[in-house]
């Protein structure tokens, strides 16, 4: 009899605990108890915090057909670009982040990518970097040519307002393209 009484007490306690929870604990499920459903609140971020920029494709040659880097041997891997990225406000020539350089870059499969999250030596700026929701920024991909002028390989725009899906998400991954240039940005929404 004592075992049955203990069992019933445990069963009643468990039932009370589970019925104490309501759908109001979940903001996505409206409360049907009082006749008026609770509204679902969609927050608006104040910034897009970029944590990494990945290059998943780039033009194989310059627009005139030349290789990115010159070498006397046509099959030399040093003819491939030495790539880096810069993040800058739209309309400005001053970057807020410049990455390290990846030497002799090549994309051979759809799974290849170059991930940039660290600044280059003696370069300003760091990731993560917060882009305000009402501003446009640009990511430029460059070929580092050492002593001569670097070659711009392409650019993509980062417009945070067009990338937010009104879903209260915490993290994001967005794919940006321009011609043969494909860039993936990853980060976190700041509310």
């Amino acid at each position: 009899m004592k075992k049955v009484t203990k069992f019933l007490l445990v069963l009643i306690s468990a039932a009370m605990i589970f019925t104490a929870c309501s759908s109001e604990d979940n903001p996505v499920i409206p409360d049907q108890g009082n006749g008026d459903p609770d509204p679902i609140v969609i927050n608006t971020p104040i910034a897009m915090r970029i944590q990494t920029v990945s290059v998943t494709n780039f033009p194989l040659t310059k627009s005139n057909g030349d290789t990115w880097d010159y070498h006397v041997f046509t099959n030399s891997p040093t003819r491939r670009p030495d790539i880096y990225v810069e993040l800058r406000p739209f309309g400005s020539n001053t970057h807020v982040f410049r990455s390290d350089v990846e030497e002799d870059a090549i994309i051979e499969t759809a799974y290849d990518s170059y991930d940039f999250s660290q600044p280059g030596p003696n370069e300003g700026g760091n990731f993560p970097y917060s882009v305000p929701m009402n501003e446009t920024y640009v990511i430029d991909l460059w070929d580092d040519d050492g002593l001569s002028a670097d070659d711009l390989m392409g650019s993509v725009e980062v417009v945070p307002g067009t990338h937010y899906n009104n879903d209260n998400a915490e993290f994001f991954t967005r794919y940006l393209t321009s011609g043969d240039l494909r860039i993936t940005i990853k980060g976190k929404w700041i509310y």
Side-chain angles (χ1 to χ4, degrees):
M1 185 71 177
K2 287 184 181 186
K3 287 184 181 181
V4 172
T5 305
K6 279 186 180 179
F7 177 74
L8 286 175
L9 284 174
V10 170
L11 188 60
I12 290 170
S13 297
M16 288 174 40
I17 289 172
F18 289 119
T19 58
C21 298
S22 75
S23 62
E24 286 184 337
D25 295 335
N26 184 348
V28 178
I29 299 173
D31 176 19
Q32 303 297 327
N34 62 9
D36 294 325
D38 292 339
I40 297 173
V41 177
I42 301 297
N43 296 312
T44 303
I46 58 171
M48 167 189 257
R49 181 169 290 163
I50 299 173
Q51 295 172 325
T52 61
V53 172
S54 300
V55 176
T56 58
N57 198 50
F58 54 80
L60 299 177
T61 61
K62 296 179 182 181
S63 59
N64 65 2
D66 287 349
T67 58
W68 289 108
D69 290 345
Y70 174 77
H71 195 279
V72 290
F73 299 110
T74 57
N75 61 352
S76 171
T78 58
R79 295 173 69 94
R80 298 191 297 241
D82 305 320
I83 63 174
Y84 66 91
V85 296
E86 287 183 343
L87 176 67
R88 63 180 171 84
F90 181 80
S92 172
N93 290 326
T94 305
H95 62 269
V96 296
F97 174 81
R98 180 178 170 172
S99 74
D100 53 350
V101 176
E102 292 285 346
E103 302 283 330
D104 301 325
I106 187 168
I107 302 288
E108 294 181 310
T109 73
Y111 302 105
D112 291 342
S113 71
Y114 290 93
D115 300 329
F116 298 99
S117 61
Q118 299 298 315
N122 306 317
E123 294 298 333
N126 284 309
F127 277 167
Y129 185 85
S130 294
V131 175
M133 287 300 283
N134 60 349
E135 295 185 24
T136 300
Y137 274 59
V138 175
I139 298 173
D140 296 317
L141 177 64
W142 292 91
D143 170 30
D144 180 30
D145 286 335
L147 299 176
S148 62
D150 294 349
D151 299 312
L152 180 63
M153 298 176 72
S155 301
V156 293
E157 289 186 2
V158 178
V159 186
T162 64
H163 297 298
Y164 181 61
N165 294 330
N166 292 327
D167 58 0
N168 291 337
E170 183 176 0
F171 298 96
F172 67 84
T173 299
R174 297 295 182 265
Y175 306 97
L176 312 173
T177 60
S178 177
D180 289 334
L181 178 60
R182 283 196 314 261
I183 288 181
T184 302
I185 57 173
K186 294 182 180 182
K188 182 176 184 178
W189 295 109
I190 305 301
Y191 293 96

